[in-house]
Amino acid sequence: MLIKFICAVVTRALFILISLIGVWRVTRVKENNFYWFLTILYLPLVFEMILTLRRRKGKDYKWFSPSIFLFLLSIIPTIWILELHHQQNKLSNAKCGKLDSPESIKNIFNSMRNTTNGTEAYKFFKDSAKFLSSVCANDWILALHQILLILLIVGKWLMPIGEGVTRDQLSQLLLIFVGTAADILEFTSETLSDVKSGPFDIRDNSPQLVYIILAVWTWSMLQFPFHLSVVNSKDGNECESQADSFLNRHSTDFWAVVETLFIQDGPFLLVRLTVMIHFNIIHQMLVFFTIKNLLVVTLNIYRIWVIFHDYRSI
């Protein structure tokens, strides 16, 4: 019981910490403390934690994870603001530091080794904040995307299992999360980089395209709080023994196909086709991932047709 309580609290504390770092970055790039009001979005997550700990002993729900949904609600606005700000000020941060710079990382570790008292510790944190503020905007945003996706997977793993969810189903869900996170990260990083580094006419019209990409990215993130594609309401033997409807018998397969067609690969395919056809951006990786999305959509349509055909033949 104590371990479950600690895991539930630590997971939500990490959610709030990462969201707080995102808000801090927004206040720095916008140079406006008004954006600290974004922390109001943390209040529902705090209330959810209190209610879950008191009423459900920290356990999550079977079909839906309120903590993950509220975490996304708190951090997605900050990423939108950072992406749009970077889109509007691409030329203003030409001189910036890279996160993969060996010299910068070496300086931080040297500062950590030389920290021996409170005054030096304060100077270390102040210098670290100054260093982080000098990091290139694109690296900052990419790091937030990566940390967000990793924390969603690790957070779901750490949170106590919901009632009616087996460890086998949880492991399947986590594996699906890993693949989904990789696809989403590749979509945002590759597609947004195409927009930002495209021809001049593309960059002039890129704000509208960036809005579309971010909207599709936000829509695709809804796969994480919902667990319909793995968790089934009935035991498999019970489903086979009764003359249930198509949705009752194949609900897991049906929702997996729905997520693929309407939440992830379907929208990704439409955006990439728009980039290629309307904006005339074509390169090897974009063509490859477009074909990949097309294959996934086609195979899922074929899969749902096979399942429906087998169901009708029974």
Side-chain angles (χ1 to χ4, degrees), residues 73-119:
L73 186 66
S74 66
I75 196 172
I76 284 178
T78 63
I79 295 181
W80 269 74
I81 295 172
L82 292 174
E83 288 281 9
L84 295 175
H85 177 82
H86 180 48
Q87 172 63 30
Q88 299 168 0
N89 301 272
K90 293 190 292 289
L91 301 179
S92 63
N93 54 355
K95 295 181 180 180
C96 56
K98 295 285 186 180
L99 282 177
D100 56 356
S101 173
E103 292 79 10
S104 299
I105 297 177
K106 183 178 179 181
N107 291 335
I108 289 183
F109 279 105
N110 288 336
S111 300
M112 292 177 65
R113 285 196 296 266
N114 295 331
T115 300
T116 56
N117 54 48
T119 304

Side-chain angles (χ1 to χ4, degrees), residues 25-298:
R25 177 62 180 177
V26 170
T27 59
R28 297 302 294 263
V29 299
K30 287 293 190 178
E31 297 180 350
N32 189 345
N33 291 328
F34 174 79
Y35 288 95
W36 281 113
F37 283 105
L38 288 171
T39 55
I40 296 176
L41 296 174
Y42 306 163
L43 294 179
L45 183 59
V46 175
F47 291 149
E48 183 274 336
M49 178 180 66
I50 296 174
L51 292 176
T52 302
L53 292 176
R54 292 187 61 181
R55 297 184 178 182
R56 301 182 58 86
K57 308 302 181 182
K59 292 184 178 181
D60 211 354
Y61 291 88
K62 182 176 182 179
W63 304 100
F64 177 68
S65 179
S67 58
I68 292 180
F69 178 78
L70 295 175
F71 171 49
L72 293 176
L73 186 66
S74 66
I75 196 172
I76 284 178
T78 63
I79 295 181
W80 269 74
I81 295 172
L82 292 174
E83 288 281 9
L84 295 175
H85 177 82
H86 180 48
Q87 172 63 30
Q88 299 168 0
N89 301 272
K90 293 190 292 289
L91 301 179
S92 63
N93 54 355
K95 295 181 180 180
C96 56
K98 295 285 186 180
L99 282 177
D100 56 356
S101 173
E103 292 79 10
S104 299
I105 297 177
K106 183 178 179 181
N107 291 335
I108 289 183
F109 279 105
N110 288 336
S111 300
M112 292 177 65
R113 285 196 296 266
N114 295 331
T115 300
T116 56
N117 54 48
T119 304
E120 293 180 355
Y122 172 78
K123 183 177 181 299
F124 163 70
F125 286 113
K126 186 176 180 180
D127 293 341
S128 299
K130 184 178 180 181
F131 164 73
L132 292 176
S133 300
S134 65
V135 171
C136 294
N138 195 55
D139 291 344
W140 246 107
I141 297 171
L142 179 60
L144 269 182
H145 279 287
Q146 294 169 337
I147 295 173
L148 166 62
L149 293 170
I150 292 174
L151 190 55
L152 286 173
I153 300 170
V154 176
K156 182 59 184 176
W157 194 5
L158 290 177
M159 283 189 293
I161 302 177
E163 296 180 0
V165 180
T166 64
R167 295 185 182 273
D168 177 63
Q169 291 173 336
L170 177 62
S171 64
Q172 293 181 43
L173 185 65
L174 293 174
L175 289 173
I176 292 175
F177 276 8
V178 172
T180 301
D183 289 340
I184 292 175
L185 181 61
E186 168 270 319
F187 169 76
T188 53
S189 59
E190 290 289 334
T191 311
L192 286 173
S193 65
D194 291 338
V195 175
K196 296 171 184 176
S197 61
F200 287 104
D201 57 337
I202 303 301
R203 293 199 293 266
D204 293 338
N205 297 321
S206 58
Q208 293 79 10
L209 187 56
V210 170
Y211 278 114
I212 295 174
I213 294 172
L214 290 177
V216 172
W217 166 74
T218 303
W219 175 249
S220 66
M221 296 298 288
L222 291 177
Q223 298 174 89
F224 292 99
F226 293 96
H227 314 142
L228 299 174
S229 61
V230 173
V231 181
N232 202 342
S233 60
K234 296 183 178 181
D235 181 77
N237 295 328
E238 182 184 352
C239 290
E240 294 296 332
S241 63
Q242 297 179 357
D244 291 333
S245 65
F246 173 79
L247 289 180
N248 287 335
R249 178 172 297 184
H250 300 286
S251 60
T252 301
D253 296 321
F254 175 78
W255 286 114
V257 173
V258 168
E259 286 186 358
T260 300
L261 294 181
F262 298 102
I263 300 182
Q264 184 168 318
D265 286 275
F268 290 1
L269 176 62
L270 293 178
V271 171
R272 287 185 168 123
L273 289 176
T274 302
V275 172
M276 294 173 61
I277 297 173
H278 187 268
F279 293 97
N280 198 28
I281 299 180
I282 300 176
H283 57 82
Q284 183 178 1
M285 294 303 294
L286 180 60
V287 173
F288 170 79
F289 285 116
T290 303
I291 295 175
K292 176 253 186 186
N293 291 138
L294 179 61
L295 285 174
V296 173
V297 169
T298 305

